Amino acid sequence: MFTFVPDEIFGTMKKLPVNCPSCEKSLFVSQLSCSSCETIISGNYSLPILLQLSSEDQDFIFEFILSSGSLKKMAVKIGKSYPTVRNKLDDIIERINHLQKV
Amino acid sequence: MKTLLFKPFEKYSEKTLLLVGVIFTLIGSFVAYTFNIRFDGVFDVHIVSNTFFYQALLDNLVNIFCLIIFLYISTKYINRKTRLIDILTTSMVARVPFYLLPFLNINGVISRASEDIIQFANPELISQITFSNLLIITVFGIITILFLVWYVSLLFNGFKVASNAKGKVSIILFIISLLFAETLSKFLIFQLN
């Protein structure tokens, strides 16, 4: 119902997996590396809530910011009605609230 | 095309929908007046011997008003952010399929067929009903049911988009709203005539 083309916003960036493909539980960051000096940091870091959202939701938030937080402007820009865009935002808020509780 | 016919509320702005709603309400009233049809209830289409433009327009305005009242109460209960304009456009645009039905009575073909059937609606005379009239009424009935389904699906889609309704409770509220709207519209139209 609500589809963005991620490539328009994120170019050809690889999609970050947030759930385990095996058991579907949330993934953690266990390693970070510097591409310049090759330093590697190991640990157990949880992903920020925004990254735990689906790429479609992330695209929506990105577009929302680019529209200066105006749902009316955004609705015109993406060719959807105002209540459709507002409902999508409400759904994302609900998902964020759920992720914050987990 | 599917969006245009069944889910216009997801795509088009309230200004566009309001314009379409107003234009079709006027056209629908004129067509009802031309082909002697009364929309004497939210879900009613009746063929009459004579009608006036003001009657047809008043019927439609009462039906829209009744839909707005009960759908707005339900959607406000579901979601406080629901806007009146979205319920107004839903109530107006969803009725467009009904406004196409009077065209089926061009040259009074349905009126004559139904009069013929009523005339012979007696166990002794039933064999005198012509097959063509029976066919006309059957086809009219089937088309009316299909357009009624289209009308209700438009109403439900508009209701969902306006309030972000989800789950069984919203479906129950939607059905109750329609029943109340039908009852109030029948009462008001009866009182106004």
Side-chain angles (χ1 to χ4, degrees), chain B residues 139-155:
Chain B
V139 170
F140 178 67
I142 291 167
I143 293 173
T144 305
I145 289 166
L146 290 175
F147 277 52
L148 182 67
V149 171
W150 182 12
Y151 172 25
V152 174
S153 74
L154 275 168
L155 273 178

PDB file of all heavy atoms in Angstrom, chain B residues 139-155:
ATOM      1  N   VAL B 139     -31.875  -8.593 -14.107  1.00  0.00           N
ATOM      2  CA  VAL B 139     -30.606  -7.918 -14.435  1.00  0.00           C
ATOM      3  C   VAL B 139     -30.465  -6.636 -13.606  1.00  0.00           C
ATOM      4  O   VAL B 139     -29.401  -6.360 -13.042  1.00  0.00           O
ATOM      5  CB  VAL B 139     -30.521  -7.616 -15.959  1.00  0.00           C
ATOM      6  CG1 VAL B 139     -29.322  -6.711 -16.270  1.00  0.00           C
ATOM      7  CG2 VAL B 139     -30.417  -8.903 -16.750  1.00  0.00           C
ATOM      8  N   PHE B 140     -31.563  -5.882 -13.490  1.00  0.00           N
ATOM      9  CA  PHE B 140     -31.550  -4.641 -12.687  1.00  0.00           C
ATOM     10  C   PHE B 140     -31.195  -4.965 -11.226  1.00  0.00           C
ATOM     11  O   PHE B 140     -30.391  -4.273 -10.601  1.00  0.00           O
ATOM     12  CB  PHE B 140     -32.922  -3.955 -12.762  1.00  0.00           C
ATOM     13  CG  PHE B 140     -33.019  -2.696 -11.936  1.00  0.00           C
ATOM     14  CD1 PHE B 140     -32.285  -1.563 -12.265  1.00  0.00           C
ATOM     15  CD2 PHE B 140     -33.842  -2.642 -10.818  1.00  0.00           C
ATOM     16  CE1 PHE B 140     -32.377  -0.406 -11.494  1.00  0.00           C
ATOM     17  CE2 PHE B 140     -33.929  -1.488 -10.042  1.00  0.00           C
ATOM     18  CZ  PHE B 140     -33.192  -0.372 -10.388  1.00  0.00           C
ATOM     19  N   GLY B 141     -31.765  -6.040 -10.725  1.00  0.00           N
ATOM     20  CA  GLY B 141     -31.499  -6.466  -9.337  1.00  0.00           C
ATOM     21  C   GLY B 141     -30.036  -6.827  -9.130  1.00  0.00           C
ATOM     22  O   GLY B 141     -29.415  -6.388  -8.164  1.00  0.00           O
ATOM     23  N   ILE B 142     -29.496  -7.587 -10.083  1.00  0.00           N
ATOM     24  CA  ILE B 142     -28.093  -8.017  -9.961  1.00  0.00           C
ATOM     25  C   ILE B 142     -27.159  -6.799 -10.024  1.00  0.00           C
ATOM     26  O   ILE B 142     -26.255  -6.648  -9.207  1.00  0.00           O
ATOM     27  CB  ILE B 142     -27.739  -9.059 -11.063  1.00  0.00           C
ATOM     28  CG1 ILE B 142     -28.487 -10.378 -10.783  1.00  0.00           C
ATOM     29  CG2 ILE B 142     -26.237  -9.312 -11.128  1.00  0.00           C
ATOM     30  CD1 ILE B 142     -28.471 -11.369 -11.934  1.00  0.00           C
ATOM     31  N   ILE B 143     -27.415  -5.901 -10.997  1.00  0.00           N
ATOM     32  CA  ILE B 143     -26.577  -4.698 -11.133  1.00  0.00           C
ATOM     33  C   ILE B 143     -26.672  -3.832  -9.866  1.00  0.00           C
ATOM     34  O   ILE B 143     -25.665  -3.330  -9.373  1.00  0.00           O
ATOM     35  CB  ILE B 143     -26.968  -3.894 -12.399  1.00  0.00           C
ATOM     36  CG1 ILE B 143     -26.619  -4.712 -13.656  1.00  0.00           C
ATOM     37  CG2 ILE B 143     -26.250  -2.541 -12.452  1.00  0.00           C
ATOM     38  CD1 ILE B 143     -27.110  -4.117 -14.959  1.00  0.00           C
ATOM     39  N   THR B 144     -27.879  -3.711  -9.343  1.00  0.00           N
ATOM     40  CA  THR B 144     -28.071  -2.906  -8.121  1.00  0.00           C
ATOM     41  C   THR B 144     -27.268  -3.486  -6.962  1.00  0.00           C
ATOM     42  O   THR B 144     -26.613  -2.747  -6.228  1.00  0.00           O
ATOM     43  CB  THR B 144     -29.570  -2.845  -7.754  1.00  0.00           C
ATOM     44  OG1 THR B 144     -30.285  -2.347  -8.881  1.00  0.00           O
ATOM     45  CG2 THR B 144     -29.821  -1.923  -6.577  1.00  0.00           C
ATOM     46  N   ILE B 145     -27.276  -4.806  -6.830  1.00  0.00           N
ATOM     47  CA  ILE B 145     -26.514  -5.453  -5.739  1.00  0.00           C
ATOM     48  C   ILE B 145     -25.013  -5.196  -5.922  1.00  0.00           C
ATOM     49  O   ILE B 145     -24.312  -4.850  -4.974  1.00  0.00           O
ATOM     50  CB  ILE B 145     -26.839  -6.970  -5.671  1.00  0.00           C
ATOM     51  CG1 ILE B 145     -28.270  -7.168  -5.149  1.00  0.00           C
ATOM     52  CG2 ILE B 145     -25.855  -7.706  -4.763  1.00  0.00           C
ATOM     53  CD1 ILE B 145     -28.818  -8.558  -5.336  1.00  0.00           C
ATOM     54  N   LEU B 146     -24.545  -5.322  -7.171  1.00  0.00           N
ATOM     55  CA  LEU B 146     -23.114  -5.088  -7.441  1.00  0.00           C
ATOM     56  C   LEU B 146     -22.718  -3.646  -7.110  1.00  0.00           C
ATOM     57  O   LEU B 146     -21.668  -3.408  -6.514  1.00  0.00           O
ATOM     58  CB  LEU B 146     -22.787  -5.399  -8.908  1.00  0.00           C
ATOM     59  CG  LEU B 146     -22.827  -6.865  -9.309  1.00  0.00           C
ATOM     60  CD1 LEU B 146     -22.600  -7.014 -10.808  1.00  0.00           C
ATOM     61  CD2 LEU B 146     -21.770  -7.660  -8.544  1.00  0.00           C
ATOM     62  N   PHE B 147     -23.594  -2.704  -7.479  1.00  0.00           N
ATOM     63  CA  PHE B 147     -23.310  -1.293  -7.204  1.00  0.00           C
ATOM     64  C   PHE B 147     -23.414  -0.988  -5.706  1.00  0.00           C
ATOM     65  O   PHE B 147     -22.700  -0.133  -5.203  1.00  0.00           O
ATOM     66  CB  PHE B 147     -24.235  -0.381  -8.031  1.00  0.00           C
ATOM     67  CG  PHE B 147     -23.739  -0.157  -9.431  1.00  0.00           C
ATOM     68  CD1 PHE B 147     -23.402  -1.212 -10.239  1.00  0.00           C
ATOM     69  CD2 PHE B 147     -23.584   1.127  -9.939  1.00  0.00           C
ATOM     70  CE1 PHE B 147     -22.926  -1.023 -11.534  1.00  0.00           C
ATOM     71  CE2 PHE B 147     -23.104   1.343 -11.232  1.00  0.00           C
ATOM     72  CZ  PHE B 147     -22.789   0.254 -12.032  1.00  0.00           C
ATOM     73  N   LEU B 148     -24.275  -1.736  -5.028  1.00  0.00           N
ATOM     74  CA  LEU B 148     -24.404  -1.579  -3.572  1.00  0.00           C
ATOM     75  C   LEU B 148     -23.109  -2.040  -2.883  1.00  0.00           C
ATOM     76  O   LEU B 148     -22.613  -1.387  -1.958  1.00  0.00           O
ATOM     77  CB  LEU B 148     -25.610  -2.375  -3.063  1.00  0.00           C
ATOM     78  CG  LEU B 148     -25.920  -2.288  -1.571  1.00  0.00           C
ATOM     79  CD1 LEU B 148     -26.368  -0.888  -1.184  1.00  0.00           C
ATOM     80  CD2 LEU B 148     -26.997  -3.287  -1.185  1.00  0.00           C
ATOM     81  N   VAL B 149     -22.569  -3.148  -3.375  1.00  0.00           N
ATOM     82  CA  VAL B 149     -21.297  -3.665  -2.829  1.00  0.00           C
ATOM     83  C   VAL B 149     -20.176  -2.647  -3.083  1.00  0.00           C
ATOM     84  O   VAL B 149     -19.355  -2.368  -2.195  1.00  0.00           O
ATOM     85  CB  VAL B 149     -20.951  -5.042  -3.461  1.00  0.00           C
ATOM     86  CG1 VAL B 149     -19.549  -5.490  -3.083  1.00  0.00           C
ATOM     87  CG2 VAL B 149     -21.973  -6.087  -3.049  1.00  0.00           C
ATOM     88  N   TRP B 150     -20.156  -2.072  -4.272  1.00  0.00           N
ATOM     89  CA  TRP B 150     -19.158  -1.053  -4.640  1.00  0.00           C
ATOM     90  C   TRP B 150     -19.299   0.167  -3.700  1.00  0.00           C
ATOM     91  O   TRP B 150     -18.306   0.670  -3.161  1.00  0.00           O
ATOM     92  CB  TRP B 150     -19.386  -0.661  -6.107  1.00  0.00           C
ATOM     93  CG  TRP B 150     -18.419   0.330  -6.664  1.00  0.00           C
ATOM     94  CD1 TRP B 150     -17.241   0.758  -6.109  1.00  0.00           C
ATOM     95  CD2 TRP B 150     -18.533   1.017  -7.911  1.00  0.00           C
ATOM     96  NE1 TRP B 150     -16.639   1.681  -6.931  1.00  0.00           N
ATOM     97  CE2 TRP B 150     -17.405   1.845  -8.034  1.00  0.00           C
ATOM     98  CE3 TRP B 150     -19.488   1.007  -8.939  1.00  0.00           C
ATOM     99  CZ2 TRP B 150     -17.203   2.670  -9.152  1.00  0.00           C
ATOM    100  CZ3 TRP B 150     -19.287   1.820 -10.051  1.00  0.00           C
ATOM    101  CH2 TRP B 150     -18.153   2.633 -10.150  1.00  0.00           C
ATOM    102  N   TYR B 151     -20.523   0.577  -3.477  1.00  0.00           N
ATOM    103  CA  TYR B 151     -20.835   1.718  -2.607  1.00  0.00           C
ATOM    104  C   TYR B 151     -20.334   1.466  -1.182  1.00  0.00           C
ATOM    105  O   TYR B 151     -19.620   2.285  -0.589  1.00  0.00           O
ATOM    106  CB  TYR B 151     -22.357   1.908  -2.661  1.00  0.00           C
ATOM    107  CG  TYR B 151     -23.028   2.896  -1.733  1.00  0.00           C
ATOM    108  CD1 TYR B 151     -22.383   3.992  -1.182  1.00  0.00           C
ATOM    109  CD2 TYR B 151     -24.378   2.719  -1.416  1.00  0.00           C
ATOM    110  CE1 TYR B 151     -23.060   4.876  -0.354  1.00  0.00           C
ATOM    111  CE2 TYR B 151     -25.057   3.599  -0.592  1.00  0.00           C
ATOM    112  CZ  TYR B 151     -24.381   4.675  -0.066  1.00  0.00           C
ATOM    113  OH  TYR B 151     -25.049   5.553   0.764  1.00  0.00           O
ATOM    114  N   VAL B 152     -20.666   0.276  -0.634  1.00  0.00           N
ATOM    115  CA  VAL B 152     -20.269  -0.041   0.745  1.00  0.00           C
ATOM    116  C   VAL B 152     -18.747  -0.196   0.849  1.00  0.00           C
ATOM    117  O   VAL B 152     -18.137   0.238   1.828  1.00  0.00           O
ATOM    118  CB  VAL B 152     -21.004  -1.308   1.256  1.00  0.00           C
ATOM    119  CG1 VAL B 152     -20.493  -1.723   2.634  1.00  0.00           C
ATOM    120  CG2 VAL B 152     -22.504  -1.061   1.311  1.00  0.00           C
ATOM    121  N   SER B 153     -18.130  -0.779  -0.187  1.00  0.00           N
ATOM    122  CA  SER B 153     -16.667  -0.937  -0.133  1.00  0.00           C
ATOM    123  C   SER B 153     -15.983   0.435  -0.179  1.00  0.00           C
ATOM    124  O   SER B 153     -14.986   0.651   0.505  1.00  0.00           O
ATOM    125  CB  SER B 153     -16.160  -1.865  -1.235  1.00  0.00           C
ATOM    126  OG  SER B 153     -16.191  -1.218  -2.468  1.00  0.00           O
ATOM    127  N   LEU B 154     -16.533   1.369  -0.940  1.00  0.00           N
ATOM    128  CA  LEU B 154     -15.994   2.736  -0.960  1.00  0.00           C
ATOM    129  C   LEU B 154     -16.158   3.388   0.414  1.00  0.00           C
ATOM    130  O   LEU B 154     -15.228   4.020   0.926  1.00  0.00           O
ATOM    131  CB  LEU B 154     -16.716   3.579  -2.014  1.00  0.00           C
ATOM    132  CG  LEU B 154     -16.186   3.500  -3.446  1.00  0.00           C
ATOM    133  CD1 LEU B 154     -17.163   4.153  -4.408  1.00  0.00           C
ATOM    134  CD2 LEU B 154     -14.820   4.148  -3.590  1.00  0.00           C
ATOM    135  N   LEU B 155     -17.335   3.208   1.004  1.00  0.00           N
ATOM    136  CA  LEU B 155     -17.593   3.769   2.342  1.00  0.00           C
ATOM    137  C   LEU B 155     -16.607   3.204   3.359  1.00  0.00           C
ATOM    138  O   LEU B 155     -16.041   3.945   4.165  1.00  0.00           O
ATOM    139  CB  LEU B 155     -19.015   3.415   2.806  1.00  0.00           C
ATOM    140  CG  LEU B 155     -20.156   4.336   2.408  1.00  0.00           C
ATOM    141  CD1 LEU B 155     -21.469   3.769   2.918  1.00  0.00           C
ATOM    142  CD2 LEU B 155     -19.994   5.745   2.952  1.00  0.00           C
TER     143      LEU B 155
END
